[in-house]
Amino acid sequence: MTSLPLLRVRNLSSEFVTTDGTVARALDDVSFDVHPGQTVGLVGESGCGKTTTLLSIMRLLPVSARITSGQVLFNGTDLLGLSEADMRRCRWKELAIVFQGAMNALNPVMTVGEQIREAILLHDLMDSSHATRRVDELLDMVGIAASRRDQYPHQYSGGMRQRAMIAMALACQPSLLFADEPTTALDVMVQAQILELLQKIQKLLGLAVVLVTHDLGVVAEVCDAVVVMYGGKVAENGPVDEVYNHPRHPYTQRLLEAFPDLNRPAGSLATIPGTPPRLNALPPGCRFAPRCHKAFDRCHIEAPVETGLGRGHTAACHLLEKTEAAK
């Protein structure tokens, strides 16, 4: 990538206070870049910090959570330093998000058209009559007939509700779109249609997209770069072809070995023993060490640092520190 990053996340850390008063470190020094027009996938098991990363960037964390350190630079401006009023103006207009579970994200007592129109009017982008025409354009863009503008969310299928959420996210013409598991609870055919729609819109509008997903196949198909997260930290980060063809972190290796591959002999899928760590009871050292098939004594004592591997590829593993030092 030769262009300057549109978004630069640097050493972002967030924490939650649990009901018993303990602190859960949800994000710890998370860093990655998103360039204009690029699609970046955030992958990892449930609870690894993917959604919390998006909510921290958008400053939409619940009241039980807070950002403790780091920078979120969007076009050079640190979003964490903005007032809430300025951040509210930035949301939807510059950064937009498609939430997981469209039925819960849409207001059940407002028509779909009203909800999209409201987003446009709240940001003073145009007058009422122009906003209505813009709603019809957006619905057409995502494959929904304008005649269904005045229907309520419960009158839409699951796939249509997700399309409506995408239309709403695009209402104020943002340059960066976050998509948090946009195909959750949809059948396989509809999932493929939604992903195809996101790709089409991205090319049409020149959007940058950050896609949260569990599906490594989706990342391979639609993403330019991938950020592999584990226990609230970045385990590996880099171009998709580089990370998939030369995975260097043991966690990434196991994830890829656990993914079905027609070129691999039947019955040879890998598994990762154990479960991800509790964020309010994190292990010392490397967070993956208790489950790692390559861990040694140092892994259980000292946290690894990020190691540059060339071509924008990085990973955090003590084994890599030894390898790079030997070169």
Side-chain angles (χ1 to χ4, degrees), residues 222-293:
V222 307
C223 294
D224 305 299
V226 59
V227 180
V228 182
M229 298 189 67
Y230 185 82
K233 293 182 74 72
V234 174
E236 191 159 357
N237 180 11
V240 166
D241 59 344
E242 189 71 20
V243 173
Y244 274 47
N245 291 322
H246 307 288
R248 303 296 296 278
H249 195 285
Y251 181 56
T252 311
Q253 293 168 2
R254 277 294 192 245
L255 285 179
L256 291 169
E257 288 165 6
F259 191 74
D261 185 344
L262 293 177
N263 296 316
R264 188 187 296 131
S268 62
L269 291 181
T271 60
I272 305 176
T275 58
R278 290 172 51 200
L279 297 178
N280 61 348
L282 292 166
C286 176
R287 294 180 183 178
F288 186 57
R291 306 173 69 193
C292 183
H293 59 296

Side-chain angles (χ1 to χ4, degrees), residues 12-315:
L12 182 62
S13 299
S14 300
E15 63 185 23
F16 287 76
V17 178
T18 63
T19 52
D20 62 3
T22 58
V23 173
R25 193 77 184 267
L27 296 182
D28 190 0
D29 284 335
V30 170
S31 298
F32 62 91
D33 292 341
V34 181
H35 291 262
Q38 187 182 38
T39 302
V40 176
L42 296 189
V43 301
E45 294 167 279
S46 295
C48 70
K50 304 184 300 295
T51 297
T52 302
T53 298
L54 300 192
L55 296 180
S56 296
I57 293 170
M58 293 284 285
R59 287 177 50 186
L60 290 173
L61 288 169
V63 292
S64 61
R66 62 175 183 170
I67 297 168
T68 56
S69 63
Q71 288 184 310
V72 177
L73 300 170
F74 180 76
N75 275 331
T77 299
D78 188 359
L79 300 182
L80 304 187
L82 296 180
S83 67
E84 179 53 36
D86 287 339
M87 189 65 206
R88 198 178 299 118
R89 282 189 285 271
C90 186
R91 293 189 200 108
W92 299 107
K93 207 168 183 180
E94 303 289 349
L95 313 159
I97 186 167
V98 178
F99 290 105
Q100 185 178 158
M103 193 64 207
N104 296 326
L106 291 166
N107 188 332
V109 298
M110 290 178 66
T111 67
V112 170
E114 285 175 326
Q115 295 181 61
I116 300 172
R117 189 168 172 271
E118 182 181 60
I120 297 169
L121 295 176
L122 280 174
H123 286 85
D124 298 319
L125 296 182
M126 56 189 70
D127 60 33
S128 181
S129 62
H130 284 90
T132 300
R133 287 199 291 272
R134 174 67 176 156
V135 170
D136 291 347
E137 290 171 4
L138 288 163
L139 289 175
D140 179 66
M141 187 185 299
V142 298
I144 298 175
S147 59
R148 303 198 65 168
R149 179 210 319 141
D150 297 323
Q151 292 183 329
Y152 291 87
H154 73 272
Q155 295 174 284
Y156 280 28
S157 66
M160 286 181 66
R161 287 195 293 267
Q162 199 60 279
R163 288 171 182 269
M165 278 299 302
I166 293 170
M168 190 182 303
L170 299 174
C172 301
Q173 299 178 307
S175 52
L176 176 56
L177 179 68
F178 297 115
D180 186 10
E181 299 275 8
T183 58
T184 296
L186 301 177
D187 65 50
V188 174
M189 289 298 294
V190 178
Q191 286 182 28
Q193 291 168 8
I194 294 298
L195 290 170
E196 185 179 349
L197 172 64
L198 282 172
Q199 287 182 288
K200 183 188 83 170
I201 288 173
Q202 181 184 27
K203 289 176 182 175
L204 179 67
L205 303 179
L207 287 172
V209 176
V210 177
L211 174 68
V212 166
T213 181
H214 289 90
D215 194 328
L216 296 174
V218 167
V219 172
E221 184 178 347
V222 307
C223 294
D224 305 299
V226 59
V227 180
V228 182
M229 298 189 67
Y230 185 82
K233 293 182 74 72
V234 174
E236 191 159 357
N237 180 11
V240 166
D241 59 344
E242 189 71 20
V243 173
Y244 274 47
N245 291 322
H246 307 288
R248 303 296 296 278
H249 195 285
Y251 181 56
T252 311
Q253 293 168 2
R254 277 294 192 245
L255 285 179
L256 291 169
E257 288 165 6
F259 191 74
D261 185 344
L262 293 177
N263 296 316
R264 188 187 296 131
S268 62
L269 291 181
T271 60
I272 305 176
T275 58
R278 290 172 51 200
L279 297 178
N280 61 348
L282 292 166
C286 176
R287 294 180 183 178
F288 186 57
R291 306 173 69 193
C292 183
H293 59 296
K294 296 182 178 180
F296 55 100
D297 290 345
R298 186 183 174 196
C299 302
H300 298 279
I301 301 168
E302 182 184 343
V305 297
E306 186 179 66
T307 300
L309 305 168
R311 293 192 59 198
H313 188 184
T314 65

